[in-house]
Amino acid sequence: MKRKSSSKKVRGKLKETKEWLKSNRSKDIHMIMDRFKRSLIGYYNYYCITDNTQNVNNFKDKIEYLLFKWLNRRSQRKSFTWDKFILFLNKYPLPSPRIKVNIYELRKEINYIL
């Protein structure tokens, strides 16, 4: 049985992120990126288990798109093209997901103990 994030929870988190960005897009870019780094690390710590990395990668891609969209709405002219945004992410990288809990390793440890 494969484990994956609840689509309802993912949609809720994306909606919450969108609302936060909408209300805080005019703040300092360092503060926005710091908040997203901390938020993504917490998300990864909770959802990065075996068999769920694809869903977590999709979540990160959607977060990057939201950032691109809302940072472009900071002024009447677009701040970023997609290429400029990629350079921006290279300068202020978001953390990448890694498996935090491998359920197959846990199963081996339990069998070893028994």
Side-chain angles (χ1 to χ4, degrees):
M1 178 173 181
K2 300 214 181 234
R3 286 144 174 82
K4 66 180 212 171
S5 304
S6 164
S7 59
K8 186 177 178 182
K9 296 279 187 182
V10 171
R11 276 194 314 271
K13 185 67 174 167
L14 287 171
K15 187 175 182 180
E16 176 188 321
T17 301
K18 177 186 165 190
E19 293 302 318
W20 187 89
L21 266 172
K22 190 176 181 179
S23 62
N24 293 293
R25 66 180 171 222
S26 61
K27 299 222 168 134
D28 182 42
I29 196 74
H30 301 290
M31 194 266 314
I32 292 172
M33 292 307 288
D34 183 54
R35 192 236 186 227
F36 272 92
K37 284 179 188 175
R38 288 183 287 120
S39 179
L40 281 174
I41 288 171
Y43 187 86
Y44 298 159
N45 286 339
Y46 191 79
Y47 286 105
C48 271
I49 62 170
T50 308
D51 301 331
N52 197 32
T53 52
Q54 184 62 43
N55 288 338
V56 174
N57 279 322
N58 290 341
F59 178 79
K60 182 186 178 210
D61 292 342
K62 290 175 183 173
I63 290 291
E64 286 177 354
Y65 175 75
L66 282 174
L67 265 171
F68 175 74
K69 176 182 172 181
W70 286 101
L71 291 179
N72 265 333
R73 293 183 174 191
R74 287 164 60 114
S75 67
Q76 291 179 350
R77 290 189 308 173
K78 290 194 181 242
S79 304
F80 293 111
T81 62
W82 191 252
D83 293 331
K84 267 184 156 179
F85 185 68
I86 297 299
L87 291 174
F88 170 77
L89 285 179
N90 287 337
K91 186 173 182 178
Y92 301 103
L94 293 173
S96 297
R98 291 189 327 232
I99 294 176
K100 299 291 181 180
V101 177
N102 186 338
I103 59 172
Y104 301 117
E105 292 296 320
L106 291 175
R107 188 177 301 155
K108 288 178 187 175
E109 290 175 17
I110 291 172
N111 287 336
Y112 180 73
I113 294 171
L114 296 177

